[in-house]
Amino acid sequence: MNARKSALSNISNAVRNYVEKNAPYNVDTEFGCDTFGLKALEQRLSKPIYTKLLETIDEGAPLDQRVADDVAHGMKRWAMERGATHYTHWFFPLTGASAEKHDSFIEPDSHGGAISRFSGKNLIIGEPDASSFPSGGLRSTFEARGYTAWDPTSPAFIKRAGGVATLCIPTVFCSYTGEVLDKKTPLLRSIQVLGVQAKRLVKCFGIDKDHVIPRVTLGAEQEYFLVDKSLYIQRPDLMQTGRTLFGAPPEKHQQLEDHYFGSIKPRVLSFMDDVDRELWRMGIPAKTRHNEVAPAQFEIAPVFEELNLANDHNMLIMETLRVVADRHGLVCLMHEKPFDGVNGSGKHNNWSISVDNINLLNPGSNPHENAIFLTTLCAIIRAVDLHADLLRATTASAGNDHRLGANEAPPAIISIFLGEQLTDIIEQIEKGGAKSSKNGKILKIGVDALPSLPCDVTDRNRTSPFAFTGNKFEFRAVGSSQSCSSPNVILNTIVAESFDEIATALEKLPKEKFHDGLQEILKGIIKKHKRIVFNGDGYDGSWVKEAAARGLPNLKTTPEAIKPLMNPDNRKLFAKYGVFSEGEMESRYEVSLEEYEKKIHIEAELTLNMANTIIMPSCIEYFGKLSSALASAKSAGLPANPELKARALELSKKMEKLSKSCSALKSKLRGTPAQKLEAMSKVREVADELELIVDDSCWKLPKYSELLFVY
Ligand code: ADP
Ligand code: MG
């Protein structure tokens, strides 16, 4: 039996004894027990110190040494009580992953023993070597020093892996000279910028208390695949690139639509349950779990939270999925397109902003709230139309290129879905005085109430990349493996710019002209930017043509899609708001491009390697079988068997084609990514044909039908 066959038989013979979780789950003691959040802080700090810390967390007041020392002391004791011996500053370099470097609390004393120590300085600042992280040219290698600095707005937590508890302290990461080398800093900056402009905007509507607190929120739905680990380790492509570079689509995959929301298999449910419990320990409000569209595809969604925290939590969700999967003999694939021919995985980025507990994207129940809502809506329409290319740029990656526009995910064209009712309202505003709207009514902003917009009515269209869904926008182009940071940095900043623009105009209006003036401003925005609104089927081919006619960009591959990051106007915009310096924005471009090129190159080399060392040998083995059958038939004096001979000939022809396509790929290894991708697809095409004619017992690579259905 070959390794593939024995792995399959082991999986089917495995006896799984699931642990019954009969004990009631105690939310009070178990949820968040591994986060050093406000509750734990209050318990462990003196009242004045706690109050001072709250000023830092809520208002960004500078942290004094005394407070830091007390917090550090309390945090260390709390962590050690939970079994931690080490702490780490936990940060997000431009690799898109999270990074950590552990230090123990242990310090030798002068008597040959040791004490545990963790100071305010240890808490606030760290100095990891930055030289091996991508910087896109921002940091020269001779100046390797990098800094991590505590982000007090995201609570420290205990991460448990391999039975080891580690205290993790969320931090930002920058270079010695202050350039940003991470994904958290720009996110924090952009949240602040949007908050400032949102406060200005609502002030125009009379919301002007001393402490209006803006809150940008994110709920990130996370899709993923699960495959059995013993099959996974026989797929070098999954191991090294996260996606299958070979594999003929099985006859049955997702056509019958029998997986979506189907009953969850016991092995998967047991995994999901462990994931939820681990997330809850860390204070992550995991809420929804279900089967997704493709076989072996699933989704997890937490309840939305403040954006910075939600982003940290999404990073932890991805890590927890991977770690827990391993314990269950499974592997969690976060790649955007692990399997050709079935759905890929995305991350639905549900985004909203509220000020003083009023969700600006909630239509509300009176004309005043409606006016704020419609203004926000128009600001977003303007922002997305002006900067669709930047939003697209943040979702560009080698993985997501395979998913966007693949008849299952939103196309690479950015457009906004508003739904029929809201579109009608927008059209009424555009027409201003005309009586030609759907129900003959003219909406006077700030005077008339909106008809109530039931949430479910607005969420029928799943094909739009940027959809209004009741009280939030859902950005669906984000890839499953991507950090939510960059898309939200862009979204926050472009919406802040629109708020700024509108607030500047509103601030100039005399009080008695406010509503008429507002109506005119919104009318102007809609006239100019409504081309971005599209309520039709985003998967339909006709949309590509129509979008082109509307002048909307359709940037299909990463190298084109990230170019807007280099556009001088875009760079000036981000510099103006202090979110990215021009150099920082350029560095993001460099990092994205380099990562893209490296990934494609790895895929190209691996395609060659697998074709030569796994696929061709499978073919040779089968060819040997056929040839010896032919030879023995001949020596037994049997008449020539046309079937045998035809098979051997077909096989031999395809093997030759495989060799030729491999040579062609080899000659393109120094070529452009596009040339490599093209040559790789030729190798794959013939390899997948071979998979369908080679004796199943000779085939070494686990097949799609096995990866997707055997778990
Ligand atoms: P679906 O899109 O699958 O229908 P839901 O509408 O239930 O799912 O919500 C998806 C996500 O949106 C959840 O994480 C939810 O908490 C989040 N969400 C709901 N309201 C907001 C909001 N105001 N801001 C940000 N996210 C939100
Ligand atoms: Mg959704």
Side-chain angles (χ1 to χ4, degrees):
M1 228 194 308
N2 72 16
R4 166 183 152 244
K5 288 284 182 189
S6 64
L8 286 169
S9 101
N10 289 343
I11 299 168
S12 68
N13 292 333
V15 179
R16 300 183 203 285
N17 291 316
Y18 298 106
V19 187
E20 296 277 349
K21 286 165 187 153
N22 291 327
Y25 183 78
N26 187 332
V27 185
D28 294 334
T29 57
E30 295 185 54
F31 184 85
C33 64
D34 275 346
T35 25
F36 196 57
L38 291 183
K39 210 162 86 183
L41 279 162
E42 196 175 6
Q43 277 165 7
R44 280 160 198 270
L45 297 178
S46 69
K47 185 90 191 156
I49 297 281
Y50 178 67
T51 313
K52 284 216 139 154
L53 182 67
L54 277 192
E55 282 167 17
T56 302
I57 294 176
D58 290 340
E59 287 150 49
L63 193 68
D64 75 50
Q65 191 63 40
R66 210 20 246 294
V67 177
D69 281 336
D70 276 17
V71 174
H73 183 70
M75 196 184 273
K76 181 198 76 182
R77 288 187 55 179
W78 172 86
M80 291 186 82
E81 281 163 21
R82 277 155 186 76
T85 54
H86 288 67
Y87 72 93
T88 178
H89 279 195
W90 185 66
F91 58 102
F92 311 134
L94 299 182
T95 54
S98 61
E100 51 192 67
K101 175 190 151 225
H102 299 193
D103 279 297
S104 78
F105 295 124
I106 301 304
E107 273 190 25
D109 62 15
S110 47
H111 323 290
I115 53 164
S116 70
R117 191 201 290 282
F118 182 58
S119 68
K121 188 171 171 289
N122 296 147
L123 165 68
I124 295 177
I125 201 151
E127 288 189 35
D129 185 343
S131 60
S132 296
F133 290 110
S135 75
L138 277 181
R139 172 202 39 73
S140 19
T141 354
F142 61 85
E143 187 37 272
R145 234 181 320 164
Y147 282 110
T148 50
W150 184 35
D151 165 18
T153 61
S154 180
F157 59 94
I158 302 277
K159 198 162 83 176
R160 296 177 189 277
V164 178
T166 308
L167 171 65
C168 294
I169 300 157
T171 58
V172 298
F173 177 48
C174 57
S175 76
Y176 178 62
T177 39
E179 282 101 355
V180 169
L181 296 177
D182 74 341
K183 293 198 174 244
K184 188 190 258 287
T185 314
L187 186 64
L188 289 169
R189 287 174 176 172
S190 74
I191 291 169
Q192 196 177 11
V193 165
L194 180 57
V196 167
Q197 298 303 335
K199 275 168 86 168
R200 253 185 87 204
L201 185 73
V202 298
K203 192 172 170 190
C204 300
F205 290 85
I207 301 177
D208 182 23
K209 294 184 219 146
D210 279 349
H211 284 281
V212 275
I213 298 174
R215 213 168 98 95
V216 190
T217 50
L218 169 72
E221 302 163 61
Q222 176 73 48
E223 294 178 338
Y224 59 92
F225 280 83
L226 290 175
V227 296
D228 191 277
K229 192 174 175 184
S230 51
L231 297 174
Y232 170 86
I233 56 168
Q234 293 178 51
R235 294 285 319 210
D237 45 1
L238 282 181
M239 290 188 9
Q240 291 190 48
T241 71
R243 76 179 182 104
T244 51
L245 299 171
F246 296 98
E251 294 70 22
K252 176 191 183 292
H253 43 89
Q254 64 186 46
Q255 312 92 320
L256 303 179
E257 295 168 337
D258 49 355
H259 193 252
Y260 189 61
F261 282 14
S263 87
I264 304 169
K265 284 190 187 179
R267 185 178 183 194
V268 173
L269 190 56
S270 165
F271 154 80
M272 288 176 164
D273 208 63
D274 278 359
V275 168
D276 283 345
R277 284 165 191 259
E278 295 223 352
L279 294 176
W280 292 339
R281 284 188 79 101
M282 293 187 284
I284 301 171
K287 183 81 175 168
T288 314
R289 57 192 190 198
H290 63 81
N291 285 4
E292 254 302 326
V293 170
Q297 191 187 29
F298 308 93
E299 182 182 297
I300 179 169
V303 177
F304 71 96
E305 298 176 282
E306 186 280 317
L307 172 52
N308 175 44
L309 184 64
N311 186 51
D312 286 1
H313 282 174
N314 178 254
M315 298 300 288
L316 280 173
I317 288 174
M318 290 198 282
E319 186 168 340
T320 306
L321 287 168
R322 288 196 187 98
V323 170
V324 175
D326 188 62
R327 275 208 315 261
H328 286 252
L330 295 164
V331 175
C332 180
L333 306 176
M334 227 73 74
H335 192 281
E336 284 76 16
K337 192 78 178 178
F339 302 99
D340 251 25
V342 300
N343 274 21
S345 298
K347 178 132 58 195
H348 292 178
N349 188 99
N350 293 274
W351 174 97
S352 178
I353 172 160
S354 55
V355 179
D356 206 22
N357 289 324
I358 302 171
N359 179 352
L360 304 188
L361 282 170
N362 202 339
S365 54
N366 59 53
H368 189 70
E369 285 171 7
N370 292 167
I372 298 177
F373 163 69
L374 289 171
T375 308
T376 306
L377 192 71
C378 289
I380 294 172
I381 291 173
R382 177 185 178 279
V384 175
D385 184 41
L386 285 177
H387 304 294
D389 58 344
L390 280 174
L391 273 180
R392 166 71 185 102
T394 65
T395 65
S397 73
N400 220 11
D401 278 3
H402 295 288
R403 170 181 164 257
L404 293 179
N407 277 322
E408 38 147 286
I413 309 159
I414 302 287
S415 64
I416 296 182
F417 172 85
L418 289 182
E420 203 183 325
Q421 223 174 343
L422 209 47
T423 306
D424 181 45
I425 290 163
I426 292 293
E427 280 165 3
Q428 288 181 45
I429 299 172
E430 187 195 357
K431 288 184 184 113
K435 285 205 189 302
S436 53
S437 80
K438 230 176 181 177
N439 45 16
K441 205 175 156 291
I442 308 142
L443 186 81
K444 278 277 194 201
I445 295 174
V447 182
D448 296 336
L450 289 180
S452 65
L453 302 165
C455 291
D456 50 344
V457 171
T458 58
D459 196 19
R460 291 272 161 77
N461 186 321
R462 312 296 288 182
T463 69
S464 172
F466 200 86
F468 179 71
T469 51
N471 60 359
K472 61 190 192 290
F473 270 99
E474 183 166 338
F475 186 27
R476 301 191 179 117
V478 184
S480 49
S481 71
Q482 293 177 324
S483 151
C484 294
S485 166
S486 305
N488 289 295
V489 168
I490 301 290
L491 190 54
N492 292 343
T493 311
I494 64 177
V495 173
E497 186 217 11
S498 273
F499 280 0
D500 185 0
E501 186 85 7
I502 296 173
T504 304
L506 289 177
E507 282 160 1
K508 289 188 191 125
L509 291 173
K511 215 169 174 193
E512 67 284 2
K513 294 230 174 96
F514 184 78
H515 283 133
D516 288 342
L518 174 64
Q519 185 114 12
E520 278 310 303
I521 292 169
L522 300 192
K523 183 175 163 180
I525 291 178
I526 295 164
K527 261 205 162 65
K528 207 160 158 192
H529 300 291
K530 68 172 178 192
R531 62 170 187 168
I532 196 76
V533 175
F534 174 65
N535 293 321
D537 181 357
Y539 297 175
D540 199 286
S542 63
W543 170 228
V544 176
K545 272 192 206 145
E546 182 175 339
R550 292 188 190 189
L552 299 177
N554 181 7
L555 306 169
K556 286 195 195 119
T557 65
T558 296
E560 314 172 71
I562 59 176
K563 273 193 192 136
L565 296 173
M566 294 297 275
N567 175 325
D569 288 343
N570 289 336
R571 286 162 59 175
K572 279 199 196 89
L573 172 76
F574 279 76
K576 175 180 164 193
Y577 289 101
V579 174
F580 283 130
S581 70
E582 296 204 22
E584 285 167 358
M585 194 124 163
E586 183 176 339
S587 77
R588 310 283 142 153
Y589 171 82
E590 295 295 342
V591 170
S592 297
L593 187 62
E594 198 179 313
E595 181 190 289
Y596 174 80
E597 286 174 347
K598 283 181 180 164
K599 282 193 170 162
I600 302 291
H601 190 76
I602 292 169
E603 289 186 352
E605 286 197 318
L606 187 57
T607 298
L608 258 185
N609 178 337
M610 288 174 67
N612 282 324
T613 64
I614 303 176
I615 290 168
M616 193 57 109
S618 298
C619 300
I620 292 170
E621 192 181 325
Y622 180 45
F623 190 73
K625 278 191 178 181
L626 288 175
S627 312
S628 55
L630 275 169
S632 16
K634 199 170 174 190
S635 63
L638 294 170
N641 182 324
E643 163 67 13
L644 263 181
K645 205 166 168 188
R647 276 180 174 248
L649 276 175
E650 189 191 4
L651 181 62
S652 154
K653 262 194 213 146
K654 289 206 193 291
M655 284 163 70
E656 196 187 331
K657 203 170 153 197
L658 182 64
S659 293
K660 280 193 175 146
S661 63
C662 283
S663 308
L665 174 56
K666 199 168 178 184
S667 74
K668 291 286 184 290
L669 282 182
R670 284 164 181 276
T672 64
Q675 288 171 326
K676 288 178 210 171
L677 282 167
E678 156 111 30
M680 278 161 61
S681 78
K682 296 249 163 71
V683 177
R684 175 173 189 159
E685 195 184 327
V686 54
D688 290 356
E689 287 168 18
L690 280 159
E691 184 187 323
L692 296 178
I693 60 168
V694 168
D695 177 354
D696 185 57
S697 68
C698 302
W699 199 256
K700 297 185 176 62
L701 274 183
K703 297 182 171 181
Y704 267 30
S705 57
E706 297 154 358
L707 293 165
L708 289 169
F709 290 98
V710 183
Y711 59 87

